[in-house]
Amino acid sequence: MQETAAIFHGTPKLVYVTPQATNIRRVQRSIHLHEELTELLFVYQGEGTYICDGYFYPIYPGDFLLYNQGDMHEVQSSSEKEIGTWCFGIVDFQLEGLSPGRMTDPAHGFVRPSSYQFQEINTLCHMVYEAISIEASYGKEMAQHLFLGILLLALHCPADVRNAPQDNHDVLAERMRQYISLHYTEPLTLQSISAALHVSPSYAAHSFKQKTGLSPIQFMINCRIGEAQNLLISSDYSATQISTLVGYDSINHFSAIFKKHVGMAPIQYRKYYLDHMRGKRKQ
């Protein structure tokens, strides 16, 4: 990464930090985006896959995962237990040469291995988590300064072979992903998606499945559940209101799909997540 990569316009501000425990069964956090936030994740235990902006990466302990504001992203554990991550939410983020909210360009990849600095970084993450809970003002200031150190370390870690150019020739699948991401709250069908992109339903379904491993409708459901999780975490909307906002007419249908996908009811998920988060409810 170029030397200018860690030069900020203004000062990035930490708004929350959340540790993902690894001694519990996997709770699906569906593919989602944040319109007002940039995120930095640090993997401290477990292995899995990071999906960001249509790119897929294997991830391991010691990896930093970079997330650009507004991009679709998801972390998937490779086991039945959760993958251990520290998740930092950031506002007012801008690097020289990149637009606001962007940590990296796809050509440079979204994963940075920390290698031999793993233990030091994991310790810093713990310190940030403890500092941000201190009610006195110096606690928040301490957390902010410690976090900036983590952020600089992440941005100066070099990319590795996982960030080599990936196959992006499947233009149709990418167009479908973008279309569904913009319209997932609408009553989409395979026929309406393929008609909007002027291709046959069978060709559209085959191309998308080959690229993503999902059917277009499965991806739409993932988008809906991901946004529902965002709203459960960041707002006080009721489950009924959220079901309408993400495209479901029936709260019972929404709750059943949410529980099947995530493993718990919507309000139960809200309590589960907020019990582990420190900082502002802005995700």
Side-chain angles (χ1 to χ4, degrees), residues 206-246:
H206 174 75
S207 297
F208 197 80
K209 179 81 171 182
Q210 189 175 48
K211 171 75 173 179
T212 68
L214 300 171
S215 73
I217 300 306
Q218 286 174 323
F219 181 76
M220 180 199 72
I221 292 172
N222 284 357
C223 290
R224 288 181 172 186
I225 298 302
E227 178 59 12
Q229 289 173 303
N230 273 347
L231 293 170
L232 286 164
I233 294 167
S234 64
S235 77
D236 292 316
Y237 288 137
S238 68
T240 300
Q241 290 172 309
I242 291 172
S243 70
T244 301
L245 288 170
V246 300

Side-chain angles (χ1 to χ4, degrees), residues 120-140:
E120 291 83 353
I121 294 168
N122 196 36
T123 298
L124 282 173
C125 292
H126 278 279
M127 293 172 69
V128 173
Y129 186 66
E130 294 303 322
I132 203 170
S133 67
I134 299 173
E135 294 186 3
S137 60
Y138 71 82
K140 306 298 186 294

Side-chain angles (χ1 to χ4, degrees), residues 46-81:
E47 298 179 0
T49 303
Y50 183 47
I51 304 168
C52 190
D53 195 28
Y55 294 81
F56 291 70
Y57 302 92
I59 52 174
Y60 311 102
D63 283 342
F64 280 112
L65 313 182
L66 312 185
Y67 162 71
N68 291 330
Q69 179 179 316
D71 285 349
M72 301 293 286
H73 67 295
E74 179 179 8
V75 175
Q76 298 178 343
S77 174
S78 60
S79 75
E80 292 304 311
K81 296 291 187 179

Side-chain angles (χ1 to χ4, degrees), residues 1 62 64 111-115 117 121 152-159:
M1 184 177 288
F64 280 112
V111 177
R112 301 287 184 273
S114 65
S115 60
Q117 301 176 94
I121 294 168
L152 288 169
L153 283 169
L155 294 173
H156 280 96
C157 287

Side-chain angles (χ1 to χ4, degrees), residues 4-168:
T4 56
I7 297 178
F8 301 111
H9 288 284
T11 303
K13 294 182 178 61
L14 175 69
V15 292
Y16 63 80
V17 53
T18 307
Q20 179 58 70
T22 60
N23 59 348
I24 57 174
R25 64 179 177 81
R26 184 173 58 203
V27 176
Q28 181 69 28
R29 180 69 166 104
S30 294
I31 194 162
H32 60 286
L33 60 82
H34 307 298
E35 294 182 348
E36 300 178 359
L37 289 167
T38 303
E39 279 187 337
L40 176 69
L41 283 75
F42 181 71
V43 182
Y44 70 85
Q45 187 173 325
E47 298 179 0
T49 303
Y50 183 47
I51 304 168
C52 190
D53 195 28
Y55 294 81
F56 291 70
Y57 302 92
I59 52 174
Y60 311 102
D63 283 342
F64 280 112
L65 313 182
L66 312 185
Y67 162 71
N68 291 330
Q69 179 179 316
D71 285 349
M72 301 293 286
H73 67 295
E74 179 179 8
V75 175
Q76 298 178 343
S77 174
S78 60
S79 75
E80 292 304 311
K81 296 291 187 179
E82 282 286 8
I83 187 169
T85 60
W86 292 98
C87 179
F88 301 94
I90 317 161
V91 295
D92 300 334
F93 183 92
Q94 185 172 7
L95 292 174
E96 184 173 303
L98 294 176
S99 56
R102 297 191 68 81
M103 280 195 170
T104 184
D105 283 325
H108 298 132
F110 295 94
V111 177
R112 301 287 184 273
S114 65
S115 60
Y116 64 89
Q117 301 176 94
F118 170 81
Q119 293 297 342
E120 291 83 353
I121 294 168
N122 196 36
T123 298
L124 282 173
C125 292
H126 278 279
M127 293 172 69
V128 173
Y129 186 66
E130 294 303 322
I132 203 170
S133 67
I134 299 173
E135 294 186 3
S137 60
Y138 71 82
K140 306 298 186 294
E141 294 176 8
M142 184 187 305
Q144 171 71 14
H145 288 300
L146 289 168
F147 169 69
L148 286 177
I150 294 171
L151 182 57
L152 288 169
L153 283 169
L155 294 173
H156 280 96
C157 287
D160 63 8
V161 293
R162 283 172 288 172
N163 293 322
Q166 298 189 22
D167 180 16
N168 286 317

Side-chain angles (χ1 to χ4, degrees), residues 178-195:
Q178 293 175 356
Y179 182 83
I180 296 169
S181 298
L182 289 172
H183 299 279
Y184 65 84
T185 61
E186 302 170 14
L188 296 180
T189 64
L190 176 59
Q191 287 70 26
S192 67
I193 295 167
S194 56

